[in-house]
Amino acid sequence: MADEQLGTFVSWDYVVFACLFVVSSGIGVFFAVKERKNPSSEFLVGGRQMTCGPVALSLTASFMSAVTVLGAPSDVYRFGGSFVLFGVAYTFVVIATAELFVPVFYRSGITSTYEYLEIRFCKGVRMAATLIYILQTVITGFNLWGSIFATGIVCTSYCTLGGLKAVVWTDAFQMVVMVVGFMTVLVQGTRKTGGAASVWEVAKNGNRLDIFDFDPDPLRRHTFWTISVGGTFTWLGIYGVNQSTIQRCISCKTETHAKLALYFNLLGLLVILVCAVFSGLIMYAFYANCDPWTAQSVTAPDQLMPYFVMEILGDYPGLPGLFVACAFSGTLSTVAASINALATVTYEDFVKQCCTNLSNKASGWISKGLCIVFGVACTTMAVAASYMGGVVQAALSIHGMCGGPMLGLFSLGIIFPWTNSMGAAGGLIVGIAMSFWAGVGAFIYPALDINTRPLSLSIEGCLQANSSDPTTAIPPSHLDPTTLPSRSSLADHWYSMSYLYYSAVGFLATVTAGLLISFITGTVSAALTHTVGQKSI
């Protein structure tokens, strides 16, 4: 199957694809006209009058990016259906966010989550956290593929014109596109592979249904524990205390609407997750005897899903364009959320601190200008990302490396009332150092296959057609020991831990160091105060 000449985009595919951009931009124009008489910074939080329905769809679309649409099916194809266990992590994350973090932020009446850090600790901690967030988001938020400038321009336009209302309603539209795109692939893919029973049988024979692995070894890439525990910390760091999430929640008209948005969003997350996992299983069943990656028909695992789509939908004009629109919906929603969140924290944490007497009109123009600035940054980073191999995996790791310490910092402020500013600052520094130590070490010394355990792939069905080319019988090299630096015990243990534990390491280091430093500095401060008091007497 891997040798067959695949179809290419036809006119109807381009029409379907273009409709995504037209509708997205149209929503921005609509809200720009509707809200033209209220040009203030409130456009970054939708006037705080949003309802739970569109916010829930927006949350799901924003965090189910093109990485999910393309990467999750590929992961299931190579490593099996254990990816579905992320549903456990999503559940814990949503409950913790709705019941612990959102009530604190919503009742504080803040716009930027980092305002809370100044209220709780000091301005220095707030500024440090804001800078980390901006750097993290600019580095990891813009991993686009194809049509980079079109995506950047469309995102920037509707974010700038319509503010958060445009972002939320555009996300809701894009969420529908994502589900329809996935369903098209699921239906046609199942039909092409001989039905659901056939898919299930082939996946079972290929060990793709061995989901529950309770091995507690933290070095294993995906087990029940790494996904449910490590995944919870990872997603809490990039979701529970993330400006993009909280900004949508505080845009709701009531705290109840904010919580309902999160719980409805959980349903959306689970739907997209199940669609992605089943897409991966169907793709494996389709290519069980002729793996395109091993046969070198594609050069990277992330290309498997688009290749599969063109093979099963290439004869139906418009449907390949629908799937590409599905993937770009994830990209658009993620980038739009990032642009809006970056503009908000920059305005609230820097501009308002320097310029305290801005009028509503000036605030509105500055906020829109910031959207343009970060939109340009988005497009620039996307161009850079297009030349960097493996940038998606690097981005996910950086999310964990930065998200864990940030989660620890907010947890110190919310859960441990005795933490002081020195403890918060010290804890953040220690947490960042520990998580980056593990993450950067893993980039230099990648984990061996004994820990990642990719499942077998076959090219028996395409060997005959490629018999004159013996290279197609050789699987892609995952890790060639002869090309790796000499490995130490540290590399085989600390650096080889599952990438899902980076966030947990940063969280635990931040909280532990923060509490210890707070105790030491608090004790010393109390002792000095007592000594000075005695001398004055």
Side-chain angles (χ1 to χ4, degrees), residues 250-264:
I250 63 178
S251 73
C252 291
K253 60 173 67 175
T254 65
E255 185 179 323
T256 301
H257 271 272
K259 289 185 176 182
L260 286 175
L262 285 166
Y263 286 118
F264 287 141

Side-chain angles (χ1 to χ4, degrees), residues 187-232:
V187 171
Q188 182 65 5
T190 302
R191 192 182 72 83
K192 287 275 190 177
T193 50
S198 176
V199 171
W200 196 259
E201 185 65 24
V202 174
K204 182 179 181 181
N205 293 336
N207 299 318
R208 263 61 183 181
L209 299 182
D210 296 339
I211 295 173
F212 294 98
D213 181 354
F214 292 98
D215 186 348
D217 185 0
L219 305 184
R220 292 282 306 283
R221 180 178 182 269
H222 280 178
T223 66
F224 176 83
W225 303 113
T226 57
I227 295 176
S228 60
V229 177
T232 296

